[in-house]
Each structure stands twice: as structure tokens, then as C-alpha cells.
Amino acid sequence: MEAESDEQKEITQRPKGDNKIQYLLTCIGFAVGLGNVWRFPYLCQTYGGGAFLIPYVIALVFEGLPLLHMELAIGQRLRMGSVGVWSSISPYQGGVGVASMLVSFLVGLFYNMILAWILWYFFHSFQSPLPWRDSVNYFWYRETLNMTPNIETSGSLQWWLVLCLASAWCIVYICFIRGIETVGKAIYATATFPYLVLTIFLITALTLPGASDGLIYLFTLNWETLKNPKVWLDAATQIFFSLSLAFGGLIAFSSYNPQKNNCERDALIVGCVNSFTSIYASIPIFVILGFKANENNNNCQNWNILTLTNAFNIGVGNITLENYGEWLNYLNKTDPSEVESLNLKACNLQTFLEESASGTGLAFILFTEAVIEMPASQVWAVLFFVMLFCLSLSSMFGNLEGVLTPLLDLHIVPPWIPKEAFTGLICLISFAVALIFTLGSGNYWLEIFNSYVGSVPLLIIAFFEIIAVAYVYGINRFNDDIEWMTGRRPNIYWQATWRFISPFMLLVVFVAYVVIEAEKQPTYNAWNPDYVHYPLADVLHYPEWVFAICVLLSILPVVAIPLVAFYKFMCFLKNYTMNRHNQNPYANEYCHGEL
């Protein structure tokens, strides 16, 4: 890729990270986020444990790694943000960079709200006893979110969440104030500390009763599950979103690399570390799930034991957890009608293992329940939320970089405005927009943003990215660039995936996603304030105006792709017409923007 001569000075003066380790940690920190800790384990649990790993690895090899390598290579070669990179490949592709920038901005809005929730729980982790000890669900839905009964009831701004959100954006700004220089310093802590905490949690969790049941459930293969097409769809989208592809952040980070750098090795390291982290984080989570499942199963059986003891006048202590099954079979044979009239609970360990809490529920309900059972629970709570804080913060670096770098590369910021001031302005605007998540209905809106911004738009952006490189710029020219940067030409694996396999998989995943979503009528779980222990009691349909916003969030980022292409095409026609009729000697300069 040939760089313009008038851009050479800017490229040469572009800031760099301190060293290679810092760069890799930055990319790993961006890719490894909360999704590794809660969404991947949730999908494993949903699809019966180990069987999910098979389509996940296939998606990593044929979809994730090729796209990751491509983004790191393209950013490193051109040393620009997403808008500049795709505009350089073709003026008609400038909208792809704008779309990535918009997705990064929208995702950053709700991602930092999760960081605000983490700060709220972190502050409360120093109390003794922990404030959620008596009712984990109530503390989350009422004390923290103060949720309204439905999305149509907005509620008021929750002042404690507003303060936590302001604190979260201040922390992000302080870490980002000087750009890649300060991010590089902070990343040493934010990218490495989660592994230390996960290891401590794993060692401690393995001592809990029922830990082995959780591990067996995780690594047991249910081959029948692979016949479900939804498994393959979720595996493909998970590896895609987990690696943070199409956000523009990876392109921005790699643009600070020297051009003579082995980006292929970087892609393999980042991709494999990210997937290893997902599996590694799943082990303590499934161990805790096994512990909670055993505890719930024992509580269920103890309730039945008490009921049977009272109904049949059996001596206290005769029926135990160890002989409960034998007693139940005996009583079913001797007096089945009486047993049936007692309406005993169905106690099944496998059923409790399959009960899942996804998304925010996994962090703020499941883990907080487990922490209560541990000795020195305040210490474990602090460690856990510091880990989540690091995961969120390092991912926020990538989201903000995906917004700032393209804007700065476009030179739309007046030179008299310091970069620190512009960064602060972006953070302030983001904070103001994100106040919607601090309303009583804020959690409903956060789920909408998470579901619709971080799905279809990313698939579309990635598809246009790989098509632009393989068929617009030309795969042979791209191979020449990589050979110049790394010293060797991409092998047949990279060639086949860039040319055929990855575009085909992206197209299939997109079509399947649209088909599956079109068959469903969007619903959400509403909070019933009459329930303390099981608050998400009502399943409601989105109102039409909310569904319209959902569609808008899916379309808004990617609409920039055809709009910019159309704008450039009209500029071409205008220039061509004026040149042909010699109406203006400066006609070629019309519409000559960075896009």
C-alpha cells in the first residue's frame, strides 16, 4: 500500500508504544473483556458444556484469526485509524471506518455503565456483613438498579448510579489523557491482574463441595447438541465479538506499531490468549455453578425430608441426604397417594446445573452469591470486583481509541484544541448520553444496546472489511505488504480464509442470524417488585416505539457504508462532468475529503 508523500511526515511522527509487550497487552486487554467471563461460560452451560467448544474452535480457526490478522496488518501498514485505513483502500469504503467508529462509540456508552455498576459493588464490598448477604437479587434489582416494572416506565435518575457513572468516565479519561502513552502504562495492571484473581478464585473454588460436578458438566460432550444450528451460530458470533473485531480499536492500536513488525505472530498470540482466557475463566465459574447446584439440590431435598418426616411421623434424623432416595422409593411403594398429596419439590442436580444466569446476572448475582459462602467474604468481593474493573477498563481503552483515532486522523479537530481537551469532550458527551442507563428503566435499555448494537452491525462491517481487502485492494497486493512487513508471504491457510472461507462464514452467520431473529417476537424480562427472590417474573413484548429504536440501533452504524459510497460516487460524477466540459480547472478538488 503506497502512502502519500504529504502524509509521510505525519506517519513518521505518529506516537508509538514503549515496547512490544506493552502493545500485545493492549490488544489482549481490548479483546479479553467481560464477555470472556460471563457470555462464554453462559453459552457453554446453555449448550450442555463441552460440546460448545467444538464449533467455537472451528469458528476461531476459520473466522476469528483471519479477521484478526487482517485488521492488525492493515492498521500497522497504513498507520491510521479505521476511517483513514478503509478510505485509503478505496474512497467508496470510507463508510466502513465511520461505521466502526459509531459502533465503538455506542458500545462504549453501555460498557462504561457496567463499569459504574462494578464501582458501586466495589464500594459496598468493604461493608461487614456484605449488604447483599440476605438477598442477592433484591440488592441488585432494587438497591442498585431500582428497576421500574417495565421499559415504558422510565423512572428517575438514580443519583448513586449517576455518581458512579461520572467516576467511571473520569477514570477512563485520566488513563487516556495522553493517548497511547498513558494507556500503555495502565495496561500492565489492567491486562494482567484478572489472571491473578481468576487463579486465586479457581484454587479456592476447587475446595467447595460440589466443585467436581461443575467440572464434569463443563467438559462432558453432548454430541446431540451439535445438531442444533443455533449452537454453530452462537459459536461463530461469540468468537467474533470476543476478539473485538470490526470495532476499529485493533486497527487503531496496531497503527502505533513500527511497520516492520510480525503482525501474523501478534494475531496468533492475541487470538489464542483470548480463547484460552475464555476457557480458563469458565473453570472457576463452572466450579461455582457446581457448588451452587449442590447447595440448591441439598436445600430442595432437605425441604422434602422435613415434609416427609412430619407427614409420616418418622423420627428426626432417620431420613438424611444420603438415604433420601431410598426412603422416597420406599414411601412411594407403601403409600403413593399420600406422597403425591405432599407436592414434593423435584430435586435434580442436573436441572440445577442447567439453570443459568447470563450477562450481568452472572457477575452481580451468581458470583456475589458464591462470595457470601466463602470465608473472609469481603476480601473475595473486593478481589472479584477489582478483576471486573480491570477487564472493563482495558476494553474501554479500545472502544475509546476506536473513536478518537479516526476523528484525529480526519483532522476535523482544530489544531488549537489540545488532544487532552478533545478527549475530555468525547468523554463528557458520552457521559451525558449514557445517563439513560441510570434511569429506573436503564437496565432494559442497556440490554437493548448490548443485543442490537453489538450484533448485526459488526457482522456487516467485518464482511465489507474482508471484501475490501481481498477483492477491492487485491489479495496479491495485500500479501506483498505482509511479506514486506514480516519477511515472509502468507501461507495457504491465510490465503484460503481471506479469499473464500471467512467471507462465506460471515455471510452465512449474518443470514442465519437475521432468519432466526425474524422468527422471534422481541421480548424482555420485566421486574416484578412483589417478588424478592425471583424478581424477573414477567415476560413482556417490546412496545412498537421501542422496537423501532432496536431496529434503528442495528441500522444506524452501518448506514454510513452506503451513504459514504453514494456521496463519493456523486463527487466522481461531478468531477467527471466538470472536467469533460472544462467548466472549472479545480474540479478535481471537489469533494476531496478524508472519507
Side-chain angles (χ1 to χ4, degrees):
M1 299 174 186
E2 297 294 336
E4 296 289 336
S5 58
D6 59 350
E7 295 174 344
Q8 192 60 43
K9 182 178 179 181
E10 177 187 347
I11 291 176
T12 303
Q13 295 177 346
R14 193 174 187 83
K16 300 178 182 179
D18 289 348
N19 53 63
K20 184 62 175 289
I21 293 178
Q22 187 182 96
Y23 162 70
L24 287 175
L25 286 176
T26 303
C27 291
I28 291 171
F30 179 39
V32 175
L34 295 176
N36 300 76
V37 175
W38 61 36
R39 191 170 189 267
F40 178 83
Y42 161 68
L43 291 174
C44 285
Q45 185 186 27
T46 300
Y47 296 117
F52 181 75
L53 297 177
I54 296 175
Y56 176 81
V57 172
I58 292 174
L60 170 67
V61 173
F62 294 108
E63 184 183 61
L65 291 177
L67 286 164
L68 179 61
H69 185 193
M70 185 194 72
E71 288 201 354
L72 295 182
I74 207 78
Q76 177 177 301
R77 182 65 179 95
L78 287 179
R79 308 207 74 208
M80 289 187 251
S82 56
V83 175
V85 160
W86 302 115
S87 297
S88 297
I89 289 178
S90 169
Y92 299 102
Q93 290 287 128
V96 176
V98 176
S100 293
M101 182 177 65
L102 291 174
V103 167
S104 289
F105 175 76
L106 293 173
V107 169
L109 294 179
F110 72 82
Y111 214 94
N112 222 32
M113 187 64 231
I114 299 175
L115 185 59
W117 292 339
I118 293 169
L119 289 176
W120 170 255
Y121 267 79
F122 173 75
F123 296 146
H124 283 80
S125 296
F126 294 94
Q127 296 183 21
S128 180
L130 291 172
W132 57 82
R133 183 188 63 178
D134 297 327
S135 179
V136 171
N137 285 303
Y138 189 82
F139 183 81
W140 168 239
Y141 289 107
R142 170 57 74 189
E143 299 295 331
T144 301
L145 301 179
N146 195 21
M147 282 181 66
T148 56
N150 54 65
I151 195 171
E152 294 178 276
T153 307
S154 297
S156 60
L157 294 174
Q158 315 303 317
W159 64 266
W160 57 92
L161 293 182
V162 173
L163 290 178
C164 289
L165 182 63
S167 300
W169 277 110
C170 287
I171 292 171
V172 170
Y173 173 70
I174 291 171
C175 293
F176 216 95
I177 191 168
R178 295 294 301 275
I180 194 65
E181 294 93 340
T182 49
V183 169
K185 302 298 185 297
I187 204 68
Y188 284 111
T190 60
T192 57
F193 185 75
Y195 293 97
L196 174 62
V197 176
L198 282 174
T199 302
I200 296 174
F201 259 91
L202 174 59
I203 295 172
T204 305
L206 287 173
T207 64
L208 297 173
S212 58
D213 294 316
L215 288 177
I216 292 171
Y217 185 74
L218 171 61
F219 293 109
T220 299
L221 297 180
N222 182 2
W223 297 103
E224 290 295 317
T225 305
L226 297 180
K227 297 179 181 179
N228 182 1
K230 190 73 166 56
V231 180
W232 296 87
L233 174 61
D234 281 342
T237 53
Q238 171 61 18
I239 192 63
F240 183 81
F241 304 139
S242 177
L243 288 171
S244 302
L245 301 168
F247 282 91
L250 291 171
I251 292 177
F253 284 139
S254 63
S255 71
Y256 297 108
N257 265 347
Q259 291 181 317
K260 293 285 189 177
N261 174 66
N262 193 338
C263 51
E264 177 182 337
R265 181 180 58 197
D266 296 345
L268 292 174
I269 292 174
V270 173
C272 292
V273 168
N274 176 77
S275 296
F276 164 79
T277 304
S278 295
I279 298 173
Y280 188 63
S282 297
I283 296 176
I285 287 174
F286 271 79
V287 166
I288 293 174
L289 283 173
F291 161 68
K292 291 300 298 180
N294 265 270
E295 184 181 62
N296 292 335
N297 190 53
N298 290 340
N299 291 337
C300 178
Q301 290 185 1
N302 281 327
W303 189 91
N304 288 350
I305 289 172
L306 180 62
T307 303
L308 291 172
T309 300
N310 294 333
F312 289 94
N313 294 319
I314 302 172
V316 176
N318 287 333
I319 306 179
T320 64
L321 290 174
E322 289 73 20
N323 62 21
Y324 166 74
E326 298 174 4
W327 269 98
L328 185 60
N329 290 333
Y330 169 75
L331 295 174
N332 268 321
K333 292 178 181 178
T334 57
D335 196 349
S337 59
E338 178 66 18
V339 173
E340 184 178 358
S341 67
L342 296 176
N343 295 321
L344 298 176
K345 295 180 179 180
C347 304
N348 185 281
L349 179 62
Q350 188 69 19
T351 301
F352 287 115
L353 283 170
E354 291 172 355
E355 290 180 352
S356 60
S358 65
T360 53
L362 193 62
F364 299 105
I365 296 177
L366 176 67
F367 263 104
T368 50
E369 280 183 326
V371 163
I372 294 173
E373 307 296 332
M374 296 179 178
S377 55
Q378 286 79 16
V379 176
W380 294 111
V382 170
L383 283 176
F384 174 67
F385 288 109
V386 170
M387 178 191 73
L388 290 186
F389 175 83
C390 292
L391 289 171
S392 302
L393 190 59
S394 57
S395 294
M396 271 304 300
F397 292 159
N399 288 325
L400 191 56
E401 188 70 46
V403 176
L404 287 175
T405 301
L407 290 176
L408 294 173
D409 288 346
L410 284 172
H411 303 292
I412 63 175
V413 182
W416 53 268
I417 297 181
K419 184 179 179 179
E420 295 82 357
F422 181 66
T423 303
L425 178 62
I426 295 296
C427 291
L428 184 61
I429 293 173
S430 300
F431 165 73
V433 177
L435 286 175
I436 186 176
F437 303 125
T438 66
L439 294 170
S441 60
N443 191 50
Y444 301 129
W445 288 110
L446 187 139
E447 292 296 335
I448 287 175
F449 270 69
N450 184 35
S451 299
Y452 290 93
V453 174
S455 56
V456 174
L458 295 177
L459 292 173
I460 296 174
I461 292 169
F463 179 77
F464 277 96
E465 284 184 355
I466 203 164
I467 291 299
V469 170
Y471 298 104
V472 177
Y473 180 73
I475 197 67
N476 291 328
R477 293 174 64 193
F478 187 56
N479 291 336
D480 292 339
D481 291 326
I482 293 179
E483 184 177 13
W484 179 79
M485 290 188 295
T486 66
R488 65 174 181 271
R489 205 165 183 80
N491 57 38
I492 187 63
Y493 160 71
W494 300 114
Q495 302 275 1
T497 51
W498 286 331
R499 290 174 185 263
F500 310 112
I501 300 176
S502 294
F504 176 75
M505 287 187 67
L506 284 171
L507 189 60
V508 169
V509 170
F510 170 73
V511 172
Y513 183 91
V514 172
V515 170
I516 291 175
E517 290 297 316
E519 293 176 352
K520 298 190 305 183
Q521 189 170 1
T523 60
Y524 68 101
N525 293 317
W527 187 53
N528 189 333
D530 295 330
Y531 291 83
V532 175
H533 298 290
Y534 302 94
L536 294 179
D538 302 318
V539 178
L540 304 179
H541 294 287
Y542 283 125
E544 291 185 0
W545 66 274
V546 174
F547 180 68
I549 293 176
C550 296
V551 174
L552 180 64
L553 288 174
S554 297
I555 296 175
L556 181 63
V558 296
V559 76
I561 298 175
L563 286 181
V564 171
F566 177 75
Y567 170 74
K568 285 298 182 180
F569 180 70
M570 296 304 296
C571 290
F572 168 77
L573 290 181
K574 188 173 184 178
N575 290 341
Y576 176 78
T577 302
M578 289 187 173
N579 278 333
R580 185 175 181 183
H581 297 287
N582 293 321
Q583 292 182 356
N584 189 341
Y586 303 103
N588 285 327
E589 296 188 11
Y590 282 132
C591 306
H592 185 68
E594 292 290 338
L595 292 177

